[in-house]
């Protein structure tokens, strides 16, 4: 609450609006309140005022009481006016200064500071009041007393007395003489009595602002005519006297100074020129007649302002009523609001005298520059077909803009730059209804850009062109209206498999913010899920709480909301992990029981029996490790080593293959390598001594059941095949390479050496002549197995390494001198012994021998 008082007396104006000091009234004095700093709410999330931002104006009436007008229409602060008080200001620092000086007073240059700060928890409202003061303008005036009978200046008159009384008192008392009787009731600066000196100059005392009636109250000589009553106006604060020439016998004339000013700023218009014409009213006809000034043989009918914004008449104009016509308006200005008339007389308030005592009357033509008004209407376009919106109540006051000059914005009064190109003209917050009005903008080109918007909306980054262009000299205000719409952010979340062809149904999904607070949660369907109004620039996390059956739970996805109205897609892909149970040929094996457990928790994730198709594992999570274990193996296959695997993040089907190898046991003849049937075999676990499997060898290798990779076993022959020796045990370890592992057990056949000794049938002596025997498979001796030839020394042949079986030995070539025997000897070798022609023979030094007789050829005797 601010009170305006007169600094001289400390008293407010009289009830009639006048002061004790001249013709002044504090009515119309104006003080403007500004923010001394950036003022925000306690959290700093809402800015109410920028530093030096205007808030309100206090305008005083004649009683010194202010009326308050809130001029800031963009703030979100809940300020209001109650009587002469401005209420609702947020805590902070403010200042006020005088922005319009009341007529007749000097400028109050003091800055008034106000600080609103927290007092205690019981004081809800902080009140601050104050008084602002002004000083009345004062100046003396100087009278120069001259006596003249023509247009030349005559002698000055000394010791002439003049009395000046504030005209309002003369009017109040009805006459100068009556008012003079009450001088002791007036303030000391409301009248003055003084005399001219030897040079004819007389200076009054300091007089307060206003018009004064002056009479010559003493004339020093009867030969000098007393000056008629005249008037002096005090309209500035100065210690330099205002000059007033008093001539006593000529009609009043004055030069005219025409000056062009900006009506709002008071600046002289120097950027371009104005051209004027003057007209004087004929006292008889009341018609306006154009004024001409003649200098020599030249006539001047119009006057153009110079680079100081001033034009002057070449000759004096006689007293009378005049009007000014502006025939050329300066660039960037409007035509005059109304006809400008003035009087040329001694009561003209602008009257002044130059050093030659020539009278000058100043006529000021004030024009306005047109202004622009920006009106902004703001909307937030909420979307349709949205599953979840985060935008609830819309607070438009959080949306702010800045207005920037797109060219040098000039003041057409003097050509000075108001705003340089690129300079921020102002920053503004919308009103609660989503509107903004920015007034009193100079003509020129600007752009409007959004600085902040509500959370969940897309910041409009468009630079909206704002152009204020003067079209004529009449329109005072040009309005540009902009309708700006903010779109909201839209996140579309898609849950698909690696093909991306369709949505996966049944996944439980959650979106959380940076504070891990749940924003939205849902179960996926055949359609994508859309969320509106997530905050631009913020990062959110999409998490799959539960994956659909047969799919891997995907790694959480972090996504940052971009400042775009386009739909922002977030795709979470669920991959699959398939497990195949195959043999080494890659064929799926049916019947194996498989288990997947989590490596860390040891919990079973999935369990199944293998089929002809790969199995899609459920319950897996990306980046976690698991163990695939074969619990029950398919008959004839080795139990595979556990497989540890990690579910990768790549969005491809991850195939895990568990191969069951075949460990085959082969029973062969050590000499021929052929499969042996009939051997009784068993496999024993070396560690436990437990028999894993028993069987009798057949025509094909045997696939052992119950073996495990990386374990060691013993292959034992409990009964050898007929005709074979019993083989030693074989120790083997099942490898983990995925190839058929063959274990070969070789049996040595039981072999016998049969020796045929050649003897003479009569003498029984061994025949050492050469001979040849053959051994056959058949009794008919058609299938020869082998033939042996004797030497001249041994008298026998030995058939070595004969297996169990029946053979036939026949003489193929007899010894020299002996008949070829027709005997076919039958040889039987079996588990009971060795038999020749069904007669068992005994072993002698590992050889079985029998004799084969030959009859000697008889030679006929010759007679002599």
């Amino acid at each position: 609450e601010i009170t305006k008082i007169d600094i001289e007396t400390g008293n407010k104006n009289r009830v009639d609006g006048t002061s004790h000091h001249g013709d002044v009234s504090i009515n119309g004095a104006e003080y403007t309140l500004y923010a001394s700093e950036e003022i925000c709410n306690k959290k700093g999330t809402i800015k109410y005022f920028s530093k030096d931002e205007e808030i309100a104006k206090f305008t005083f009436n004649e009683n010194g009481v202010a009326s308050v007008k809130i001029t800031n229409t963009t703030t979100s602060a809940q300020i209001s006016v109650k009587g002469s008080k401005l209420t609702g200001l947020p805590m902070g620092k403010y200042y006020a200064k005088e922005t319009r000086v009341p007529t007749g007073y000097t400028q109050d240059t003091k800055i008034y500071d106000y600080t609103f700060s927290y007092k205690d928890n019981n004081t809800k409202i902080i009140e601050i009041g104050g008084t602002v003061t002004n000083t009345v303008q004062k100046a003396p005036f100087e009278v120069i007393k001259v006596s003249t009978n023509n247009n030349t200046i005559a002698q000055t008159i000394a010791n002439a007395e003049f009395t000046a009384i504030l005209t309002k008192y003369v009017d109040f008392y009805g006459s100068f003489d009556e008012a003079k009787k009450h001088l002791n009731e007036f303030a000391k600066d409301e009248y003055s009595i003084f005399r001219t000196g030897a040079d004819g100059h007389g200076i009054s005392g300091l007089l307060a602002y206003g018009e004064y009636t002056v009479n010559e109250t003493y004339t020093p000589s009867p030969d000098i005519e007393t000056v008629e009553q005249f008037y002096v106006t005090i309209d500035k604060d100065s210690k330099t006297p205002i000059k007033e020439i008093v001539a006593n016998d000529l009609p009043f004339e004055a030069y005219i100074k025409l000056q062009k000013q900006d009506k709002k700023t008071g600046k002289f218009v120097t950027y371009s020129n104005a051209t004027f014409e003057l007209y004087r009213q004929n006292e008889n006809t009341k018609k306006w007649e154009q004024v001409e000034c003649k200098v020599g043989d030249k006539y001047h009918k119009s006057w153009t302002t110079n680079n100081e914004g001033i034009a002057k008449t070449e000759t004096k104009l006689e007293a009378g009523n005049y009007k000014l016509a502006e025939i050329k308006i300066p660039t960037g200005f409007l035509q005059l609001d109304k006809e400008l008339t003035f009087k040329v007389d001694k009561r003209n308030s602008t009257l002044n005298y130059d050093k030659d005592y020539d009278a000058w009357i100043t006529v000021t033509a004030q024009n306005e520059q047109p202004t622009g008004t920006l009106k902004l209407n703001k909307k937030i376009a909420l979307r349709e077909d949205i599953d979840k919106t985060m935008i609830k109540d819309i607070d438009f006051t959080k949306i702010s803009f800045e207005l920037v000059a797109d060219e040098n914005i000039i003041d057409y009064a003097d050509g000075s730059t108001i705003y340089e190109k690129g300079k921020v003209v102002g920053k503004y917050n919308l009103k609660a209804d989503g509107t903004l009005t920015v007034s009193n903008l100079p003509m020129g080109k600007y752009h409007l850009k959004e600085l902040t918007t509500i959370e969940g909306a897309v910041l409009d980054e468009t630079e909206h062109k704002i152009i204020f262009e003067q079209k004529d000299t009449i329109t005072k205000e040009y309005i540009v209206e902009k309708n700006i719409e903010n779109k909201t952010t839209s996140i579309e979340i898609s849950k698909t498999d690696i093909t991306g062809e369709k949505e996966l149904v049944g996944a439980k999904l959650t979106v959380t913010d940076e504070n891990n607070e749940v924003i939205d949660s849902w179960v996926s369907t055949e359609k994508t899920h859309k969320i509106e109004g997530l905050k631009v620039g913020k990062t959110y996390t999409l998490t799959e709480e539960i994956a659909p059956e047969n799919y891997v739970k995907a790694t959480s996805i972090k996504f940052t909301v971009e400042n775009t109205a386009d739909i922002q897609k977030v795709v979470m892909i669920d991959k699959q992990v398939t497990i195949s149970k195959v043999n080494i040929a890659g064929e799926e094996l049916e019947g194996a029981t498989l288990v997947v457990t989590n490596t860390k928790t040891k919990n079973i994730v999935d369990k199944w029996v293998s089929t002809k198709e790969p199995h899609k594992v459920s319950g897996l999570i990306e980046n976690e490790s698991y163990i695939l274990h074969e619990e029950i193996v398919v008959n004839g296959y080795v139990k595979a080593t556990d497989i540890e695997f990690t579910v990768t993040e790549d969005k491809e089907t991850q195939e895990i293959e568990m191969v069951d190898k075949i460990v085959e046991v082969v029973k062969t003849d050590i000499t021929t390598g052929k499969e042996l049937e009939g051997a009784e075999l068993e496999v024993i676990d070396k560690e436990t001594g437990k028999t894993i499997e028993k069987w009798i060898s057949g025509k094909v290798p045997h696939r052992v059941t119950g073996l495990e990779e990386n374990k060691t076993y013993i292959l034992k022959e409990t009964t050898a095949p007929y005709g074979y020796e019993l083989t030693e045990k074989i120790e083997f370890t099942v490898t983990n390479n995925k190839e058929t592992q063959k274990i070969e057990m070789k049996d040595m056949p039981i072999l016998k050496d049969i020796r045929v000794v050649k003897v003479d049938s009569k003498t029984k002596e061994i025949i050492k002549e050469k001979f040849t025997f053959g051994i056959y498979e058949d009794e008919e001796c058609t299938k020869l197995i082998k033939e042996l030839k004797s030497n001249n020394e041994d008298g026998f042949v030995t058939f070595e390494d004969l297996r169990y079986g029946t053979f036939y030995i026949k003489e193929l070539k007899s010894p020299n001198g002996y008949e070829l025997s027709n005997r076919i000897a039958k040889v039987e070798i079996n588990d009971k012994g060795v038999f020749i022609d069904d007669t068992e023979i005994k072993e002698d030094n590992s050889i079985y021998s029998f004799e084969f007789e030959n009859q000697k050829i008889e030679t006929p005797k010759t007679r002599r």
Side-chain angles (χ1 to χ4, degrees), residues 98-118:
E98 188 170 44
T99 49
R100 185 167 67 228
V101 184
T103 302
Y105 286 88
T106 60
Q107 173 81 44
D108 180 7
T109 58
K110 183 179 178 182
I111 301 297
Y112 298 87
D113 294 309
Y114 307 98
T115 300
F116 293 94
S117 60
Y118 173 79

Side-chain angles (χ1 to χ4, degrees), residues 630-643:
E630 187 171 27
E631 192 171 86
I632 300 176
V633 71
V634 179
N635 285 339
Y637 292 87
V638 174
K639 181 184 289 186
T641 305
D642 288 352
I643 297 175

Side-chain angles (χ1 to χ4, degrees), residues 374-381 394 396 399-403 430 433-436 447-453 457-466 480-487:
L374 170 63
K375 292 187 176 181
L376 173 62
N377 300 306
K378 189 70 168 177
K379 289 185 179 179
I380 304 295
I394 298 175
F396 284 103
I399 301 177
S400 64
F401 287 84
E402 69 176 7
L403 187 66
L430 298 182
D433 62 356
T435 63
L436 171 66
H447 74 257
L448 184 70
K449 186 175 181 180
E450 191 169 78
L451 296 177
T452 60
T453 186
V458 176
L459 184 70
D460 179 17
E461 296 181 324
T462 305
E463 293 186 353
H464 299 276
K465 298 297 181 183
I466 309 296
V480 173
E481 190 164 354
K482 288 287 183 181
N483 297 313
I484 300 178
E485 184 178 80
N486 280 99
K487 299 290 182 68

Side-chain angles (χ1 to χ4, degrees), residues 14-43:
R14 292 170 174 167
V15 176
D16 64 359
T18 62
S19 169
H20 287 287
H21 296 273
D23 287 335
V24 295
S25 169
I26 57 177
N27 186 36
E30 176 187 271
Y31 280 73
T32 302
L33 183 67
Y34 303 88
S36 294
E37 61 186 2
E38 187 175 274
I39 297 177
C40 304
N41 64 346
K42 187 175 181 181
K43 292 182 178 179

Side-chain angles (χ1 to χ4, degrees), residues 552-555 598 619-626 646-648:
V552 174
K553 185 192 291 186
T555 304
N598 187 291
L620 301 180
I621 302 174
E622 289 182 352
N623 292 318
E624 293 203 11
S625 298
Y626 300 88
T646 300
V647 181
T648 59

Side-chain angles (χ1 to χ4, degrees), residues 562-836:
E562 297 178 359
N563 187 59
T564 176
D566 296 335
I567 295 175
Q568 301 174 56
K569 293 188 177 181
V570 178
V571 180
M572 177 176 271
I573 298 174
D574 277 2
K575 65 185 290 181
Q576 290 182 312
V577 173
T578 62
I579 293 181
S580 293
K581 184 62 180 174
V582 299
N583 59 22
I584 60 173
E587 300 166 338
E588 295 284 340
L589 292 178
E590 296 182 71
T593 299
L594 302 175
V595 178
V596 172
T597 57
N598 187 291
T599 304
K600 291 182 180 178
T601 66
K602 309 303 181 185
N603 293 330
I604 293 177
V605 174
D606 199 0
K607 183 176 182 178
W608 71 98
V609 176
S610 63
T611 65
K612 291 182 179 180
E613 299 294 332
H615 177 72
K616 297 173 182 176
V617 187
S618 296
L620 301 180
I621 302 174
E622 289 182 352
N623 292 318
E624 293 203 11
S625 298
Y626 300 88
I627 294 174
L628 171 61
H629 172 71
E630 187 171 27
E631 192 171 86
I632 300 176
V633 71
V634 179
N635 285 339
Y637 292 87
V638 174
K639 181 184 289 186
T641 305
D642 288 352
I643 297 175
E644 184 171 354
F645 64 94
T646 300
V647 181
T648 59
E649 284 188 46
D650 57 36
K651 301 306 177 183
E652 297 179 355
T653 299
Q654 192 170 344
E655 297 177 350
I656 310 297
E657 189 175 69
M658 177 176 269
V659 181
D660 278 1
K661 62 190 291 182
I662 305 160
V663 173
E664 292 183 340
V665 174
V666 183
K667 187 64 175 174
T668 62
D669 184 308
I670 196 171
T671 60
T672 66
K674 291 183 178 180
E675 296 275 350
L676 290 180
E677 297 181 66
E680 291 185 6
L681 302 171
E682 67 176 328
V683 171
I684 301 168
D685 187 318
K686 180 182 178 181
E687 183 178 348
T688 64
K690 179 181 178 181
T691 298
I692 302 300
E693 188 181 7
K694 289 183 177 182
W695 73 97
I696 296 174
S697 64
K699 294 181 178 179
V700 294
H702 178 73
R703 295 178 181 177
V704 185
T705 298
L707 301 182
E708 297 182 27
E709 291 179 348
N710 297 317
K711 289 193 70 173
T712 302
Y713 301 89
I714 295 173
L715 174 61
K716 177 182 179 182
E717 185 175 37
T718 56
T719 303
Y722 181 74
Y724 287 84
E725 296 177 359
L726 200 62
T727 304
E728 293 182 356
K729 300 173 183 177
I730 296 176
E731 184 177 299
F732 67 94
T733 300
V734 180
T735 61
N736 56 10
N737 60 23
K738 301 307 177 182
E739 296 177 356
T740 299
Q741 187 173 350
K742 291 188 177 182
I743 310 299
E744 186 175 9
M745 178 174 270
K746 299 178 180 180
D747 276 6
M748 174 64 72
I750 299 173
L751 301 176
K752 304 295 182 180
D753 293 342
I754 304 298
R755 178 172 292 176
V756 181
V757 180
K758 180 60 95 173
V759 298
D760 187 293
S761 60
K762 288 183 179 182
T763 67
K764 306 303 181 183
E765 292 179 356
I766 294 175
I767 302 171
K768 293 186 178 181
E769 293 288 338
K770 291 183 180 180
F771 52 84
T772 302
F773 277 91
I775 187 167
Y776 295 87
E777 291 182 12
D778 58 331
E779 188 176 357
E780 291 77 18
C781 294
T782 61
K783 299 177 180 179
L784 178 65
I785 297 173
K786 191 176 185 180
E787 67 176 41
L788 295 175
K789 294 180 179 180
S790 68
N791 54 34
N792 291 329
E793 298 175 357
D794 294 333
F796 61 83
V797 294
T798 302
F799 290 97
E800 296 177 343
D801 297 333
L802 294 180
R803 298 169 180 263
Y804 276 16
T806 301
F807 307 93
Y808 298 91
I809 297 176
K810 175 183 178 181
E811 187 176 45
L812 299 178
K813 181 179 179 183
S814 63
N816 197 21
Y818 287 87
E819 294 179 358
L820 184 67
S821 175
N822 60 0
R823 178 186 176 188
I824 296 176
K826 176 183 176 184
V827 179
E828 286 185 273
I829 303 172
N830 56 41
D831 57 350
K832 294 179 180 180
V834 177
F835 298 87
I836 303 297

